[in-house]
Amino acid sequence: MESQSVLDVRNLKTYFFTDEGLVKAVDDVSFSIESGKTMGLVGESGSGKSVTALSINRLINQPGRIVDGEIFLDGENVLKFDESRMRQWRGEKVSMVFQEPMTALNPVLTIGYQIAESVLAHEKVSRKEAWGRAVDAMRTVSIPDPERLAFDYPHQLSGGMRQRVLIAMALVCRPRLLIADEPTTALDVTIQAQILELLSRLSHEYDLSLMLISHDLGVIAEAAETVAVMYAGKIVEMGTAEEVFRTPRHPYTQGLIRSIPKLGSSLEMKDRLDVIEGVVPSLLNLPSGCSFATRCPSKTDECVQSEIELEMIKDDHKVRCIHA
């Protein structure tokens, strides 16, 4: 593989073949993440962020299917693995932290048991050693008194602590890539900051590549070095976080940034939040040309005549817009 990236996704297409028609949930998506770096994937609900993450883990179920593209992890194309090898790689090479810990954790098993099971599933070690690794992983993610809390059940912990347990479970086998899908959405602001700080610290300490999925631009701006903005199954803008947030070039990215509340704004009309007019088009019936054209203030006839390509406009800054 030419790239030195830990993760290299090339022209990924994941479609759902439904009774109503073809849903192009992820349509020709390409990006890469370098070792020890964090990439933020941002967009509204339904833009294709989570389906992209599930595709990388090969967790797409019927009626969905990866129809085209390549996913290289440490130089190997995971789309060519059989299911047995893919199961081994999940947790060992790539791990995932989900949005809601209570649905990801088994309510009738202790925290320590569940983390230790992750070790036993991937490594030939004794149950005693696996338990020790589980306790160490809890300590790594700053869970206090892990020897005692390892015997607790998920319902006995706070939401922030449960999220830390999920991160400990994801990292106990030291994977190369961690995918965090909306890891702070269900938490209050103070705990959000703690979880983001934890992920950032672990990324640097373990040379861990991190893919952070969120609809919250503030979370992405704080944690990520590079950013990809998704809309209707496609990446519409991609570049360094500083470049994308300082000089957004796609009208959708500009609209997202304008809609962020600012400190010091009043309740007067002049300080009302900007909104992006309209709604995300149905993936069953996408408009021709640019998918954002129906909501775009800069739309011209040229926008809807043919497919718009993602083009480099400056250094590593790419935009899918003919007016950029």
Side-chain angles (χ1 to χ4, degrees), residues 95-154:
S95 282
M96 198 159 173
V97 176
F98 294 95
Q99 178 175 342
E100 180 42 65
M102 279 306 278
T103 59
L105 293 170
N106 191 322
V108 300
L109 298 176
T110 64
I111 296 303
Y113 182 91
Q114 294 186 61
I115 300 175
E117 283 296 296
S118 296
V119 179
L120 293 169
H122 296 284
E123 299 180 31
K124 290 182 171 61
V125 298
S126 67
R127 191 162 285 278
K128 182 179 179 181
E129 184 178 340
W131 183 269
R133 291 266 298 275
V135 171
D136 288 343
M138 292 172 68
R139 189 177 291 110
T140 299
V141 298
S142 304
I143 293 176
D145 197 5
E147 290 86 356
R148 181 179 62 83
L149 287 183
F151 291 97
D152 280 359
Y153 292 88

Side-chain angles (χ1 to χ4, degrees), residues 261-281:
K262 293 176 179 60
L263 286 174
S265 60
S266 72
L267 296 177
E268 297 175 26
M269 287 288 288
K270 63 183 177 65
D271 284 329
R272 285 201 171 179
L273 287 176
D274 283 338
V275 297
I276 302 174
E277 299 292 344
V279 295
V280 180

Side-chain angles (χ1 to χ4, degrees), residues 186-201:
L187 307 174
D188 65 51
V189 176
T190 307
I191 306 301
Q192 277 189 23
Q194 292 175 6
I195 295 297
L196 289 175
E197 186 180 333
L198 171 65
L199 288 171
S200 177
R201 174 173 66 81

Side-chain angles (χ1 to χ4, degrees), residues 1 4 25 46 75 88 108 123 131 138 153 211 214 220 231-232 240 247 260 264-265 276 279 282 301 316:
M1 189 179 79
Q4 297 303 306
Q88 189 64 29
V108 300
E123 299 180 31
W131 183 269
M138 292 172 68
Y153 292 88
M211 179 174 163
S214 182
I220 298 297
Y231 184 81
T240 65
T247 55
I260 299 173
S265 60
I276 302 174
V279 295
S282 167
D301 291 342
D316 289 328

Side-chain angles (χ1 to χ4, degrees), residues 3 65 100 118 143 166 178-179 188 201 220 224 252 256 272 283 291 316 324:
S3 172
R65 194 165 76 242
E100 180 42 65
S118 296
I143 293 176
L166 279 189
L178 176 65
I179 300 175
D188 65 51
R201 174 173 66 81
I220 298 297
Y252 178 60
L256 288 176
R272 285 201 171 179
L283 294 179
S291 299
D316 289 328

